[in-house]
Amino acid sequence: DIQMTQSPASLSVSVGETVTITCRASENIYSNLAWYQQKQGKSPQLLVYAATNLADGVPSRFSGSGSGTQYSLKINSLQSEDFGSYYCQHFWGTPWTFGGGTKLEIK
Amino acid sequence: QVTLKESGPGILQPSQTLSLTCSFSGFSLSTSNMGVGWIRQPSGKGLEWLLHILWNDSKYYNPALKSRLTISKDTYNNQVFLKIANVDTADTATYYCARITEGRGLYAMDYWGQGTSVTVSS
């Protein structure tokens, strides 16, 4: 099974700051990676697919990058609505595992 | 407009079989490159992919749970069914279904249901 190591596990930031969350796969996943945002008590929402493609309706301050085993989600100029948890997920062969999550909190 | 909604028993006892239904609209599982997956999340913890079914009836299972999982679909009525046999307290979680789209070999779970809470307790 491919393991997804996500970091950091938690992050305390202020509105307006820029943050980067990373996911490292235990083997090459050839950009078969998605990022999700989950707010407390809500279902996850797709932000990025195929490592770099923004899902419909996702603000341009979000961006995905990476290749091989290393991937990142960058959020420029954090807004109050961006706080919550973020997860990566690979799609390179089953099981489709998720990263452990990053909890983004307001400083 | 794509929507998915999970339904289930809410609470059940250890050793019973959990049956969940995902009812969806706005897409069809007769369309190529579409699928529906199930994901669960224990309270306060991360996400776990369980299994999924594709438009061509291909099925993929989490090997850690495969012996207990069954997935099926009713294409005509836009529903997908999940059964988990012999549940125990570790199966207590919120269960989500999600639409899967595939394009040029790349996948995404682009729409999710609201989730249904399942508690296993004696």
Side-chain angles (χ1 to χ4, degrees):
Chain A
D1 298 358
I2 296 173
Q3 307 304 315
M4 302 301 295
T5 303
Q6 189 172 338
S7 61
S10 63
L11 205 50
S12 182
V13 297
S14 301
V15 170
E17 292 186 357
T18 295
V19 300
T20 300
I21 300 167
T22 63
C23 252
R24 177 171 49 85
S26 58
E27 61 184 82
N28 193 337
I29 57 171
Y30 301 95
S31 297
N32 284 265
L33 182 102
W35 290 96
Y36 303 92
Q37 178 194 63
Q38 185 179 32
K39 297 183 180 178
Q40 185 67 33
K42 301 294 186 181
S43 55
Q45 294 199 331
L46 178 68
L47 295 174
V48 171
Y49 64 95
T52 62
N53 297 274
L54 280 189
D56 290 344
V58 175
S60 59
R61 62 181 179 272
F62 291 88
S63 63
S65 64
S67 62
T69 62
Q70 299 276 2
Y71 299 87
S72 297
L73 175 72
K74 186 178 180 181
I75 313 171
N76 289 311
S77 187
L78 269 166
Q79 303 298 301
S80 57
E81 61 264 31
D82 298 336
F83 293 92
S85 294
Y86 291 81
Y87 295 91
C88 62
Q89 180 191 20
H90 85 82
F91 293 91
W92 186 249
T94 55
W96 288 348
T97 48
F98 289 87
T102 295
K103 188 170 185 179
L104 196 54
E105 298 177 315
I106 301 174
K107 185 183 287 183
Chain B
Q1 181 189 4
V2 174
T3 64
L4 302 97
K5 187 173 184 179
E6 307 86 350
S7 58
I11 186 165
L12 68 167
Q13 295 183 338
S15 80
Q16 291 185 321
T17 295
L18 170 62
S19 294
L20 297 174
T21 299
C22 177
S23 302
F24 57 87
S25 63
F27 69 100
S28 173
L29 272 181
S30 62
T31 303
S32 59
N33 305 327
M34 288 288 170
V36 169
W38 287 94
I39 305 94
R40 70 181 180 182
Q41 184 174 39
S43 180
K45 297 189 177 180
L47 300 164
E48 179 183 30
W49 170 82
L50 298 178
L51 75 174
H52 66 268
I53 188 167
L54 300 179
W55 62 279
N56 58 3
D57 211 37
S58 296
K59 300 165 187 175
Y60 301 85
Y61 300 87
N62 187 323
L65 296 157
K66 183 176 181 178
S67 64
R68 299 168 53 216
L69 300 177
T70 305
I71 191 169
S72 60
K73 63 182 174 68
D74 179 344
T75 304
Y76 183 78
N77 288 305
N78 288 340
Q79 291 181 314
V80 171
F81 309 100
L82 168 65
K83 292 186 187 297
I84 304 179
N86 192 26
V87 298
D88 69 10
T89 55
D91 296 308
T92 294
T94 296
Y95 286 75
Y96 299 100
C97 63
R99 187 180 82 161
I100 296 166
T101 56
E102 182 267 334
R104 293 177 293 172
L106 296 167
Y107 291 88
M109 290 185 168
D110 59 354
Y111 289 89
W112 293 58
Q114 64 189 24
T116 187
S117 178
V118 173
T119 300
V120 180
S121 174
S122 55

